[in-house]
Amino acid sequence: MEGYKLEQYLEFNKSIRDDLLNSVSNLSDEQLNKEVEEGRWTIMQVLHHLHIIESGVAKAIQYTLKKGEKQTVNTKPIELTVNRSTKIKAPSFADPDARFITLEEMKEKLKESRHVLIQVVSNSNKHQLKEKAYPQPIFGLMSLDQWVPFIGYHEKRHIEQIEELKEKL
């Protein structure tokens, strides 16, 4: 995603979110919450993790815009996020609940976190999004504008995980 087109980033994220929701639309709440492999997240937990990350990113962008200093950082290869050959342990704050959650409830949570992200980004100074940065566990210090498409790549990575889990249902 070269060039800086915020609208394109948001459209990219919307397209991935549509794919994500399509991938789970034919599953029952029981299937979504079923542990298919010991020690692995359920499909619902994957969805909850995505909600937690998106909410956290929106808050991090908001905080960094208010408190952060201008920093020059290199563009990170965030498209590598979709490469699942390297397993990555989620930070503990991003661990999902183990409780039973319905798809309708989760769709509302995902809609809410997306709305917050869009509001934060849309109401932000575009130059500040490029000039300020927040650390990402794998890529290091990342400009705020890269965090927006990162959400889409992160969801795309987890769609593959969901597809693997569906095969084991």
Side-chain angles (χ1 to χ4, degrees), residues 11-157:
E11 193 53 44
F12 171 73
N13 287 358
K14 181 187 180 315
S15 168
I16 302 291
R17 176 63 58 84
D18 290 345
D19 292 346
L20 175 72
L21 294 175
N22 284 337
S23 79
V24 299
S25 65
N26 294 330
L27 300 175
S28 69
D29 290 336
E30 288 69 25
Q31 289 173 310
L32 290 166
N33 286 278
K34 181 180 171 73
E35 184 178 8
V36 295
E37 201 175 298
E38 192 170 334
R40 281 191 81 182
W41 288 347
T42 65
I43 294 170
M44 187 55 72
Q45 286 175 306
V46 173
L47 296 174
H48 190 219
H49 165 76
L50 294 173
H51 163 70
I52 293 167
I53 291 293
E54 186 170 51
S55 297
V57 167
K59 286 177 189 157
I61 290 173
Q62 218 168 13
Y63 173 83
T64 306
L65 285 170
K66 284 182 187 157
K67 307 277 189 208
E69 302 293 319
K70 285 185 182 180
Q71 300 183 64
T72 304
V73 294
N74 294 330
T75 301
K76 304 298 192 241
I78 59 171
E79 63 280 356
L80 296 178
T81 303
V82 299
N83 179 354
R84 294 193 65 242
S85 64
T86 305
K87 294 292 179 207
I88 298 165
K89 174 112 176 77
S92 59
F93 77 86
D95 283 343
D97 284 351
R99 70 180 178 86
F100 188 96
I101 303 174
T102 66
L103 182 56
E104 283 312 305
E105 184 183 346
M106 186 49 62
K107 280 182 178 178
E108 274 307 305
K109 285 179 177 294
L110 288 166
K111 192 166 134 184
E112 174 189 307
S113 58
R114 180 55 48 91
H115 176 75
V116 172
L117 179 69
I118 290 170
Q119 288 302 112
V120 167
V121 170
S122 299
N123 295 325
S124 299
N125 176 307
K126 310 294 180 251
H127 295 293
Q128 283 192 334
L129 287 170
K130 282 187 98 47
E131 295 170 343
K132 294 189 175 189
Y134 189 82
Q136 201 278 343
I138 304 302
F139 297 112
L141 204 54
M142 203 160 82
S143 66
L144 297 181
D145 70 322
Q146 273 208 287
W147 276 98
V148 180
F150 170 79
I151 290 294
Y153 286 119
H154 181 246
E155 287 192 2
K156 194 170 188 167
R157 174 187 182 94

